[in-house]
Amino acid sequence: MSARPRLAPTRALRAEVRRKAIHLAFILVPLAWLQVWLPWPSTRSQWTLCLLLMVLVAVSLDLARIHDHRFGAFFRRFFGELIRRHEETQLLGSTYLLLATLLAVDLFPRPIAAASVGFTVLGDGVAAIVGRAYGRTRFFGKSLEGAGAGLAACLLWAAYLVSSGQLSWPVGLLGALVASLAEFLPIPLDDNLGITLFSGYAMKLMGLPW
């Protein structure tokens, strides 16, 4: 596969904003868990089935994109600027997000599942956009400016969950801090999985029923 040319900074920022706009729209999923506004899926088992099917479809498309030259070229024609370099030969971040969401539903109580996926969606999305636009001070390949914005987004999500009676302040704050650390530190795991699992397990230690 030929090397893809680097995007100009402004064009790269626009591509990152489009990519993360799709990512941020995923916040509707944890909101649907909390508000239960969908007739289907609504229960835990229904969400598990729905997400499992979505993961299978996403993985199948990724494998076809990676291993079938014609399908890969067709896919890049429409989504090329949204695909990061390492994703050209690996699963997309959106696939990892679906997998992380499936794991959250099965592993954590409903409020914690919603919190951890929300931290992943909002924290990672905001951190990426702000880091790309304003990042100057860099550690571990990421910017302090982006990390600070991601932490602020996680804290706002935690505040929403606390104000709506889903979590206590200690649980929400712990989840937001762990999620932000997982996003910033060089953990050898995709951010979508790392943020969701680390923050979810940290909050689960405090114990909440589904």
Side-chain angles (χ1 to χ4, degrees), residues 17-206:
V17 170
R18 288 196 295 271
R19 174 188 172 92
K20 290 305 180 181
I22 299 171
H23 185 88
L24 291 168
F26 200 78
I27 194 64
L28 292 174
V29 172
L31 285 173
W33 295 345
L34 299 175
Q35 305 299 330
V36 196
W37 62 50
L38 296 175
W40 194 97
S42 59
T43 65
R44 185 174 192 167
S45 60
Q46 290 173 353
W47 273 106
T48 298
L49 175 60
C50 178
L51 288 165
L52 178 59
L53 292 174
M54 294 174 71
V55 168
L56 291 175
V57 170
V59 170
S60 298
L61 289 174
D62 274 341
L63 292 177
R65 171 181 59 83
I66 293 169
H67 296 291
D68 186 285
H69 175 73
R70 288 177 298 179
F71 184 77
F74 173 80
F75 194 91
R76 287 192 300 275
R77 187 180 308 160
F78 292 95
F79 304 105
E81 289 190 357
L82 303 182
I83 302 175
R84 289 178 174 163
R85 288 181 175 271
H86 71 275
E87 293 176 331
E88 292 180 351
T89 56
Q90 299 178 27
L91 298 180
L92 293 175
S94 56
T95 302
Y96 279 114
L97 179 57
L98 287 172
L99 178 58
T101 305
L102 172 62
L103 292 173
V105 167
D106 279 346
L107 294 173
F108 306 134
R110 185 184 293 253
I112 290 179
S116 62
V117 173
F119 291 146
T120 302
V121 171
L122 298 176
D124 182 64
V126 170
I129 294 173
V130 173
R132 176 76 70 174
Y134 304 107
R136 300 292 182 271
T137 310
R138 306 194 73 83
F139 289 94
F140 309 124
K142 298 183 180 181
S143 71
L144 288 180
E145 294 84 357
L151 174 60
C154 288
L155 290 173
L156 286 174
W157 178 242
Y160 165 75
L161 294 172
V162 171
S163 65
S164 60
Q166 303 293 335
L167 296 176
S168 65
W169 270 116
V171 174
L173 290 176
L174 175 65
L177 292 173
V178 171
S180 298
L181 284 174
E183 190 278 331
F184 183 68
L185 296 177
I187 298 170
L189 189 65
D190 182 86
D191 279 348
N192 294 295
L193 284 172
I195 296 171
T196 302
L197 295 179
F198 282 113
S199 65
Y201 273 116
M203 291 183 288
K204 189 176 180 180
L205 289 176
M206 309 194 69

